[in-house]
Amino acid sequence: MSKMDSPRKSRRSFLAAGAGVAASVLAKPALAGAGNPANQPPNVPEWSKSLGEGVAVRPYGKPSKFEKEVIRRDVEWLTASRESSVSFTPLHELEGIITPNGLCFERHHGGIAEIDPADHRLMIHGLVERPLILTLDELKRYPRVNRIHFMECAANSGMEWRGAQLNGCQFTHGMIHCVQYTGVSLRTLLEEAGVKTNGKWLLVEGADAAAMDRSLPIEKALDDCIIAYKMNGEALYPEQGYPMRLVVPGWQGNLWVKWLRRIKVGDQPWHTREETSKYTDLLPNGKARRFTWSMDAKSVITSPSPQAPIKHGKGFTIVSGLAWSGNGKVKRVDVSLDGGRNWWPARLDGPVLDKALTRFYYEFDWNGEPLLLQSRVQDETGYVQPSKAELRKIRGVNSIYHNNGIQTWHVQANGEVENVEVA
Amino acid sequence: MSKSPNFIAAALLACALVAPALAQQKADARGGPRYHIGRAPTADEIRGWDIDVRPDGQGLPEGKGTVAQGEKLFMDNCSTCHGEFGEGNGRWPVLAGGKGSLTSDNPVKTVGSYWPYASTVFDYVRHAMPYGNAESFSVDEYYALVAYVLYLNDVVTDQNFELTNKNLATLKMPNEQGFVMDDRATSERSFWQKDPCMKDCIAPVKITGRAAVIDVTPEDGKDGKPRGVE
């Protein structure tokens, strides 16, 4: 995710040249989405007159075929291959705080490992009194915990450091998801193995073709980490680490090792490739921050946004968005309609959980004038989401990771929305 | 502000150096209830998977390989993606070069310009390379490959140099001193505020950049229309 310099592909016409076209489409809202009058009042629609499919015809349910656009998407130019790439969660199509399992963004370094759980083993060794090897069935015999947490790639919004680049919060902010994990507290397993007094760090390693390894300080491991085997009630999806993954609440996604096969206890960090060549934040003076684990407070308006324009014209309008903090709970969210000059409190709705996504709304009567929409979160530690300018003043533009600056969406009079920068 | 986990993370690291706090924490990790589920791995089982390597050399397997041996392996197995001199093909990673670029507009992060430890090269290459056929080389071949990558980066300069489990950890990488611990808690103090501004916070703003100008957003289908404007 270090490809900051994108090719200057200028092929898209929607916003650059198509304002007039789009406006003419939007001027006829009755036609857009008009559908088939034969199925509308006063007529009785076809689905009301004939039998549909019976139970178990769809033994594992799928979304309506009319929702086929609601999918993960990738950005082809970003990486050399799909096996080491990322797909993005369509945040603009979702509500509430839970991400459906099939839409959780993917990040692989060696493709999706398809693992037979009968053959999978988790090994715990190193500076422990009792090294352990566990099957999935054995892991499931340990006491369980259920927790809802967001998982964000440290490079989420990383393509935007130098300026607005991608039109859609799916692409600017979609490297995040939030699910309920079920699994075993990592602490439970470390207690079972008995960490020796000089055990200060864990090496956590995956079983895929990248066999990614990361160093995790023992304090975090004993605090709130989970070895999860269920997400949103069902088994982990293969692309999310089936049969088991590490959950490191509030910390960058790269630490949440998927297809977890090995935990080694040591007395020093390993300085693996992921925590040296990647996931270190290069500053303007040429020095780089290392071990930048926690994800700072951040928010984004998911609708309206470039992929979710306002189609109804002026009138009552719902601004919907997500806020989160790796440092704890969301305390408040404010929304600006004028690019950060004035702010209005948003309404938090649904659960406000520790290190989880929080849904916010700002409802207002849109007079049809252009807007510069922004959201700004403050978490329970008092941290306030900075503007992009404030962030760049300290970090420069080469850090790739941890871009939690305030996002601006330009809502045009015709309802189209564009990703912009303001000053 | 004091509750920020940034501070906590920093404090925890500091704690790791403080014996009493650490002892307490470790006692907790040893003293919990036991369930007697699972078994002990055999020495053989651990040996098969225990492949990690640290900067101090811990974990390096016995073995050796020369730059020249590595060059041949690299040409046959790695150069398609990484280029014959580590210059990278397409979007595949650049392995060499980039010296002096870290403060520039276009930092090139390579083994030589950025990676702080030689151990990381061995750890990563043995874990994940060759791409698509991971862990398929012998230990000696991995030493040879790493020797060649270090040679490409001028960390070693003799074609006959032989990299071994004895000398790998003694090699100094150019950017070893280029890293600092996460200091967001202090360097970004201004982001912690009691009462965020609500009214007339800044002068009226103007649009200074537009994604539509760069225009690299993926499109749907052939006509390129995003959903919602059909």
Side-chain angles (χ1 to χ4, degrees):
Chain A
M1 292 311 308
S2 58
K3 307 301 186 289
M4 297 298 300
D5 298 311
S6 62
R8 307 273 162 168
K9 288 199 277 184
S10 206
R11 54 193 169 82
R12 182 165 157 185
S13 59
F14 159 48
L15 285 156
V21 177
S24 68
V25 171
L26 286 162
K28 297 178 280 184
L31 282 178
N36 180 1
N39 284 327
Q40 297 171 23
N43 302 317
V44 177
E46 49 198 272
W47 50 80
S48 300
K49 294 187 287 196
S50 59
L51 298 176
E53 290 179 338
V55 297
V57 171
R58 307 177 190 194
Y60 204 121
K62 285 194 296 189
S64 161
K65 64 182 179 183
F66 302 107
E67 295 292 318
K68 66 178 190 300
E69 302 287 339
V70 186
I71 52 173
R72 297 182 286 218
R73 292 164 194 274
D74 61 349
V75 178
E76 273 183 56
W77 52 260
L78 205 57
T79 53
S81 79
R82 280 196 154 169
E83 292 78 20
S84 182
S85 191
V86 61
S87 71
F88 299 81
T89 296
L91 297 177
H92 60 291
E93 298 277 11
L94 305 177
E95 278 298 334
I97 66 167
I98 296 295
T99 314
N101 289 339
L103 294 178
C104 290
F105 83 93
E106 308 153 276
R107 173 76 173 102
H108 318 310
H109 297 69
I112 301 165
E114 288 281 1
I115 295 178
D116 182 345
D119 292 339
H120 186 77
R121 295 292 182 275
L122 173 63
M123 192 186 284
I124 302 176
H125 69 113
L127 299 177
V128 294
E129 305 288 349
R130 297 170 293 274
L132 264 181
I133 191 163
L134 296 170
T135 65
L136 176 64
D137 286 342
E138 285 166 342
L139 189 71
K140 287 178 174 175
R141 289 178 56 207
Y142 282 92
R144 294 171 194 178
V145 296
N146 289 282
R147 291 207 214 100
I148 296 172
H149 290 299
F150 77 81
M151 196 279 258
E152 184 181 20
C153 176
N156 198 18
S157 313
M159 287 97 81
E160 303 281 304
W161 271 110
R162 288 167 187 264
Q165 178 161 267
L166 288 155
N167 258 321
C169 67
Q170 177 164 16
F171 301 107
T172 58
H173 290 74
M175 282 196 271
I176 189 166
H177 56 68
C178 184
V179 309
Q180 183 183 55
Y181 292 100
T182 306
V184 181
S185 163
L186 179 53
R187 184 186 188 99
T188 300
L189 289 187
L190 291 176
E191 286 173 344
E192 183 83 6
V195 175
K196 292 184 176 174
T197 49
N198 54 342
K200 295 175 192 169
W201 289 83
L202 267 52
L203 181 83
V204 290
E205 181 184 88
D208 60 319
M212 199 174 69
D213 51 348
R214 287 286 316 246
S215 307
L216 183 72
I218 188 87
E219 291 79 7
K220 180 66 173 176
L222 292 174
D223 179 19
D224 59 358
C225 294
I226 303 167
I227 298 173
Y229 43 82
K230 300 272 188 185
M231 53 195 284
N232 291 333
E234 59 182 342
L236 293 185
Y237 279 21
E239 60 269 37
Q240 301 300 334
Y242 179 85
M244 58 182 75
R245 82 170 312 163
L246 191 63
V247 170
V248 190
W251 286 19
Q252 61 191 26
N254 186 251
L255 283 155
W256 300 43
V257 169
K258 301 192 283 193
W259 311 288
L260 183 70
R261 76 172 175 200
R262 192 164 72 100
I263 297 172
K264 180 179 184 177
V265 181
D267 59 358
Q268 290 174 32
W270 278 260
H271 298 283
T272 69
R273 182 249 197 186
E274 298 295 318
E275 54 209 23
T276 52
S277 83
K278 309 285 175 189
Y279 302 96
T280 46
D281 310 351
L282 184 59
L283 300 171
N285 65 3
K287 298 277 184 186
R289 290 178 183 156
R290 73 166 115 213
F291 297 149
T292 49
W293 298 303
S294 71
M295 298 305 295
D296 287 323
K298 185 168 171 181
S299 69
V300 66
I301 290 168
T302 54
S303 175
S305 62
Q307 294 162 288
I310 300 176
K311 291 196 277 186
H312 55 62
K314 62 184 179 184
F316 185 74
T317 300
I318 294 175
V319 172
S320 178
L322 291 165
W324 61 94
S325 172
N327 298 344
K329 289 179 183 167
V330 166
K331 186 163 98 184
R332 63 182 288 171
V333 178
D334 302 310
V335 166
S336 174
L337 306 177
D338 56 9
R341 182 167 161 79
N342 295 289
W343 295 89
W344 309 92
R347 177 170 66 85
L348 307 185
D349 191 87
V352 179
L353 302 170
D354 184 51
K355 304 179 183 77
L357 292 185
T358 297
R359 178 62 60 176
F360 67 84
Y361 296 107
Y362 177 76
E363 291 120 344
F364 75 114
D365 215 358
W366 184 39
N367 62 10
E369 287 175 10
L371 307 170
L372 291 170
L373 268 185
Q374 294 185 343
S375 63
R376 178 187 69 188
V377 62
Q378 182 177 38
D379 71 21
E380 64 180 345
T381 73
Y383 181 99
V384 178
Q385 183 182 8
S387 70
K388 288 186 178 181
E390 289 172 311
L391 207 54
R392 288 172 183 144
K393 206 183 293 173
I394 298 171
R395 309 250 192 103
V397 293
N398 286 334
S399 70
I400 298 176
Y401 306 104
H402 298 283
N403 183 349
N404 67 321
I406 290 171
Q407 175 64 44
T408 309
W409 301 131
H410 178 214
V411 180
Q412 299 165 40
N414 65 8
E416 285 181 39
V417 183
E418 186 190 351
N419 174 14
V420 299
E421 300 259 339
V422 294
Chain B
M1 184 156 171
S2 61
K3 277 185 185 168
S4 157
N6 281 328
F7 290 106
I8 293 170
L12 287 173
L13 282 176
C15 274
L17 304 170
V18 180
L22 187 66
Q24 185 58 47
Q25 193 70 269
K26 291 306 157 297
D28 288 345
R30 285 180 300 166
R34 287 191 55 199
Y35 301 92
H36 302 281
I37 300 167
R39 64 171 173 84
T42 65
D44 249 11
E45 286 173 327
I46 293 177
R47 199 175 304 125
W49 281 10
D50 188 12
I51 58 171
D52 53 87
V53 175
R54 297 196 321 202
D56 61 3
Q58 192 190 86
L60 281 170
E62 234 176 83
K64 59 183 177 359
T66 66
V67 170
Q69 289 165 338
E71 179 174 12
K72 177 160 183 7
L73 284 166
F74 191 91
M75 294 308 154
D76 294 347
N77 297 279
C78 318
S79 59
T80 308
C81 294
H82 294 299
E84 291 184 9
F85 304 100
E87 73 276 19
N89 278 334
R91 290 224 160 252
W92 297 103
V94 180
L95 300 184
K99 266 183 201 165
S101 71
L102 297 183
T103 53
S104 78
D105 216 29
N106 184 27
V108 182
K109 298 179 185 175
T110 70
V111 169
S113 72
Y114 198 66
W115 295 31
Y117 305 112
S119 62
T120 307
V121 189
F122 193 93
D123 183 78
Y124 178 66
V125 172
R126 187 157 66 139
H127 268 86
M129 295 293 126
Y131 193 64
N133 197 15
E135 299 192 47
S136 61
F137 285 160
S138 70
V139 166
D140 284 353
E141 287 173 324
Y142 281 118
Y143 275 106
L145 269 177
V146 173
Y148 183 66
V149 172
L150 295 174
Y151 176 79
L152 288 177
N153 282 284
D154 301 323
V155 175
V156 299
T157 50
D158 179 359
Q159 279 227 340
N160 298 314
F161 176 82
E162 185 175 69
L163 188 66
T164 73
N165 52 307
K166 297 271 189 275
N167 64 15
L168 191 147
T170 65
L171 299 172
K172 285 283 172 210
M173 301 291 278
N175 195 42
E176 181 175 346
Q177 302 306 317
F179 295 85
V180 295
M181 280 302 290
D182 183 3
D183 63 348
R184 283 176 288 173
T186 49
S187 61
E188 299 179 0
R189 286 179 84 94
S190 58
F191 299 162
W192 277 268
Q193 297 165 25
K194 195 154 177 280
D195 299 304
C197 174
M198 298 298 283
K199 196 168 160 42
D200 296 329
C201 303
I202 50 175
V205 299
K206 286 189 303 202
I207 293 175
T208 56
R210 324 176 71 110
V213 172
I214 297 173
D215 200 10
V216 288
T217 314
E219 298 167 348
D220 288 344
K222 282 182 187 160
D223 62 358
K225 283 184 195 163
R227 191 183 195 215
V229 195
E230 54 267 358

